Structures are given as structure tokens and as C-alpha cells.
Amino acid sequence: QVHLVESGGGSVQAGGSLRLSCAASGFPYSYYHIGWLRQAPGKEREGVAGIGSDGSTKYTDSVKGRFTISKDNAKNTLYLQMNSLKPEDTAMYYCAALHPSFLFSLEAVSTFGNRGQGTQVTVSS
């Protein structure tokens, strides 16, 4: 059973940085598509960044050049390094894992992936 636990969220000022972590267990982590989603109050859930089972990466346009997704297969841990944070990055951030039978896309990870409980990121101006 997919089990994901996010950590690393917090409150920062605009321009600051945070590093999110997601500890994974209960499934063959290195073979799954994995990624980060976010949802702000009143807004739809959005795929932020993902790593396909083949190691390819995808980012939503609004975070390109600012966020970096990475994973450590030995530790079964996913990371999201977030730099140059903006108030519009404020949201609950979730990590998600998607079975490799799905075609990898941020939308697929966001829609069909198993998610953790999330960690809150708040960016003040």
C-alpha cells in the first residue's frame, strides 16, 4: 500500500527558499512515477513537478527555473527544492505516486496518483 509522508513546509518571505521532503513506503518506489502537487484555497489542484519512472522530469510553467525535483531511491525519498518563492506559491503541497502503467504526465500524477497528507507552504510578500 502506498504510504507517503511530506515534511519541510513552513512560512517564508517572498524570495526565500524551502525544501520539501516526501518519505515513501509500501510500494516499489523507484518504478513509479512520482511528483509534487499543490492546492491553494479556492483553486484546483495543480501538478507542480514530477519524475517519471524513466527518470524524466516535468515542471509546470510557473515554477520552471525556480523549483527542482529530485529523488533518492536508496532512501525512498522525494524532494522539492523551492527557490525564489512567490506569494502565489502559497498552497498545501502533496507528494503523489502513480503506477507506471499510466502514461507519465503532471496531470496524470495529480489526478490518479496516491497522495500523502500534505505540508503547508505560505509565502508572504
Side-chain angles (χ1 to χ4, degrees):
Q1 184 175 355
V2 173
H3 186 58
L4 302 164
V5 179
E6 301 92 338
S7 62
S11 297
V12 296
Q13 290 191 329
S17 298
L18 283 172
R19 188 194 195 202
L20 306 184
S21 298
C22 173
S25 61
F27 66 103
Y29 170 81
S30 62
Y31 296 103
Y32 272 54
H33 309 312
I34 50 175
W36 290 95
L37 327 169
R38 66 186 179 187
Q39 188 163 20
K43 294 187 178 181
E44 292 187 356
R45 189 167 58 238
E46 173 188 32
V48 175
I51 300 177
S53 58
D54 63 354
S56 61
T57 57
K58 296 182 185 293
Y59 295 90
T60 193
D61 286 346
S62 62
V63 308
K64 287 180 180 177
R66 300 189 297 121
F67 291 10
T68 302
I69 189 171
S70 61
K71 66 175 183 173
D72 185 332
N73 287 338
K75 296 182 178 180
N76 278 15
T77 302
L78 179 69
Y79 302 99
L80 185 67
Q81 178 66 44
M82 305 187 296
N83 299 326
S84 302
L85 282 161
K86 303 176 180 180
E88 51 264 42
D89 294 318
T90 295
M92 184 71 80
Y93 282 71
Y94 304 87
C95 67
L98 180 66
H99 194 276
S101 62
F102 286 85
L103 185 65
F104 173 55
S105 70
L106 290 181
E107 183 175 2
V109 174
S110 177
T111 304
F112 303 111
N114 292 283
R115 299 188 303 275
Q117 294 299 306
T119 186
Q120 177 69 36
V121 172
T122 302
V123 185
S124 58
S125 58

